[in-house]
Amino acid sequence: MRNILQITSFAIICTFLVASVQSCSSSKKSDDTVYIEGIWRISEEEIYTDVSSDTSSGLKDTDSGNDETDNEGEDNGSVERPYKTEKYHSSDQVQRYLIFENLKYSKIKIEDSEKETVEEGSYSVSGNIVTISINGKQTTAEYLINTTTLTLMYDDHPTLKKRVAQWDAIPGDGENDGNDDKDEENEDKDDNGDDEDIPTCAARHQRDARVGSKLNPKLIESDVIVEGALPDDTENGFLYRYYLQVKPYAKYNISISEISADYDEDIHEKYHYMDVIIKEEFVTDYILKESRFHYNQTSGQMTVTPATECLYIEFFSFQESIQFKLEITEQE
């Protein structure tokens, strides 16, 4: 009789553990997920040539292209709108960029060192489909990322059929394009612009990974409020990672506020939280500070004293699209 009770208890415990794991992992995405987040320089566009003056039914692309065009058309047994192909080069006077960051979308144009925001809005990703929203209007596109090339095939854009962009950096923004070792050395200059004693925080980062991922954290600055969100990740849940240059053995306050999370019904209540993990090295098991923000907890603060010139702040949750504000300040 005692053996029967032991077996029964063991079965109940196993059933509970399996149910918990299944509930937790139901939000897990496919390991084949690719990441659109980052800065992309537009290198090619296929533009419809029959665009009417009224494009209010979709998004407008207010950028004018150059004159190097090729009229093309395809005959696949159905009528297809005519379009022309325009190609842009890194040596052109006008450069155009797409930015996907923290669920925010923007299109930037730079001409004669003058930066202009052409479009601004938000975006969401489902599988390999990205939906871009600007002023209440939406357009969708199938996207493909091949190494450092992003291809967008639009479903309902009023002026564009296709757009190709390259992983790059906006000049003067201190970002790295992942292709130039010199840029990598310059990226981590200190706040005074000095070239001496540049920390090597980013030396081991994998530049071809999504910005904000575990392998390629996003660079931020102290005394600046960062509006963050947790985008899709692979592995077990959703993650975003930041890093910044700090003074060794100085005290820093890490403030997290305005946390907003709407947990899905298929995520067990015991997993309704967001973890924040603070480290002082890119790869290490040593944790300076760790905090768990449970459901309905909207703010919190931690103090750390790193022994290195680097500080890493990692956010993790089983719920996607948690929003928050992050601010890091040095104590006087």
Side-chain angles (χ1 to χ4, degrees):
M1 183 67 178
R2 181 178 179 181
N3 290 337
I4 294 175
L5 290 175
Q6 288 176 337
I7 293 173
T8 303
S9 299
F10 180 75
I12 292 174
I13 293 173
C14 288
T15 301
F16 173 77
L17 291 175
V18 170
S20 296
V21 170
Q22 289 177 340
S23 176
C24 169
S25 62
S26 61
S27 62
K28 179 180 178 180
K29 301 292 183 181
S30 168
D31 287 341
D32 294 332
T33 302
V34 292
Y35 302 108
I36 197 172
E37 184 155 320
I39 300 174
W40 305 89
R41 180 182 61 81
I42 300 174
S43 58
E44 181 179 317
E45 290 179 326
E46 293 182 359
I47 305 173
Y48 291 120
T49 59
D50 62 346
V51 178
S52 65
S53 59
D54 181 13
T55 57
S56 60
S57 58
L59 292 178
K60 295 181 180 179
D61 186 90
T62 58
D63 229 359
S64 59
N66 57 32
D67 294 332
E68 293 183 18
T69 64
D70 295 320
N71 291 325
E72 298 183 13
E74 297 179 1
D75 184 6
N76 297 322
S78 60
V79 177
E80 184 172 347
R81 296 172 61 185
Y83 63 91
K84 62 182 179 180
T85 300
E86 297 196 0
K87 296 185 178 181
Y88 313 107
H89 307 281
S90 58
S91 58
D92 292 344
Q93 183 178 2
V94 178
Q95 296 293 322
R96 305 158 180 82
Y97 297 88
L98 301 177
I99 303 176
F100 296 92
E101 184 176 67
N102 286 340
L103 305 180
K104 295 181 179 179
Y105 161 83
S106 61
K107 179 182 175 184
I108 304 295
K109 182 172 73 173
I110 296 181
E111 183 174 6
D112 296 330
S113 300
E114 294 293 328
K115 184 188 300 183
E116 176 187 355
T117 300
V118 179
E119 295 176 346
E120 197 168 30
S122 61
Y123 75 97
S124 61
V125 174
S126 178
N128 66 332
I129 302 296
V130 58
T131 301
I132 299 173
S133 302
I134 301 176
N135 296 329
K137 299 177 182 179
Q138 292 185 339
T139 189
T140 58
E142 179 180 353
Y143 75 95
L144 171 67
I145 296 177
N146 183 8
T147 311
T148 58
T149 300
L150 167 67
T151 302
L152 294 168
M153 299 295 296
Y154 291 95
D155 295 328
D156 50 8
H157 199 290
T159 61
L160 290 175
K161 170 184 172 66
K162 178 181 176 181
R163 179 176 268 161
V164 180
Q166 308 299 317
W167 179 271
D168 212 322
I170 296 177
D173 279 14
E175 295 291 344
N176 185 279
D177 60 6
N179 298 317
D180 194 331
D181 292 336
K182 184 176 181 181
D183 289 343
E184 182 171 317
E185 294 173 0
N186 292 335
E187 178 179 12
D188 290 310
K189 290 183 179 180
D190 61 29
D191 293 336
N192 298 320
D194 297 331
D195 291 329
E196 297 181 358
D197 299 324
I198 297 175
T200 56
C201 298
R204 299 171 64 187
H205 296 181
Q206 296 187 19
R207 298 298 175 165
D208 57 345
R210 172 181 58 81
V211 177
S213 66
K214 202 176 189 73
L215 299 177
N216 190 18
K218 177 176 175 57
L219 176 64
I220 58 175
E221 298 179 355
S222 59
D223 300 318
V224 174
I225 297 178
V226 177
E227 294 187 6
L230 299 184
D232 290 3
D233 209 336
T234 54
E235 300 187 7
N236 298 322
F238 306 95
L239 176 146
Y240 207 94
R241 195 180 192 196
Y242 300 93
Y243 81 100
L244 71 159
Q245 174 187 327
V246 295
K247 299 176 183 177
Y249 302 106
K251 285 189 177 182
Y252 288 88
N253 294 325
I254 300 175
S255 175
I256 301 162
S257 61
E258 299 184 28
I259 302 173
S260 176
D262 186 12
Y263 289 92
D264 296 335
E265 294 181 357
D266 57 353
I267 299 178
H268 195 280
E269 287 185 5
K270 67 181 295 185
Y271 300 109
H272 287 192
Y273 59 79
M274 178 177 70
D275 282 337
V276 180
I277 300 173
I278 315 296
K279 296 183 178 181
E280 60 185 2
E281 294 180 12
F282 176 52
V283 180
T284 180
D285 292 330
Y286 176 66
I287 297 175
L288 283 175
K289 192 82 69 173
E290 183 176 12
S291 184
R292 176 163 291 181
F293 294 84
H294 292 279
Y295 180 68
N296 285 335
Q297 186 176 353
T298 59
S299 63
Q301 188 166 329
M302 294 174 280
T303 301
V304 295
T305 306
T308 72
E309 294 178 307
C310 310
L311 193 63
Y312 290 85
I313 304 98
E314 182 177 304
F315 293 79
F316 174 85
S317 179
F318 292 106
Q319 172 63 44
E320 63 179 322
S321 301
I322 293 182
Q323 298 182 1
F324 54 89
K325 284 189 176 180
L326 167 67
E327 184 176 19
I328 302 168
T329 57
E330 180 185 355
Q331 286 190 6
E332 294 291 334

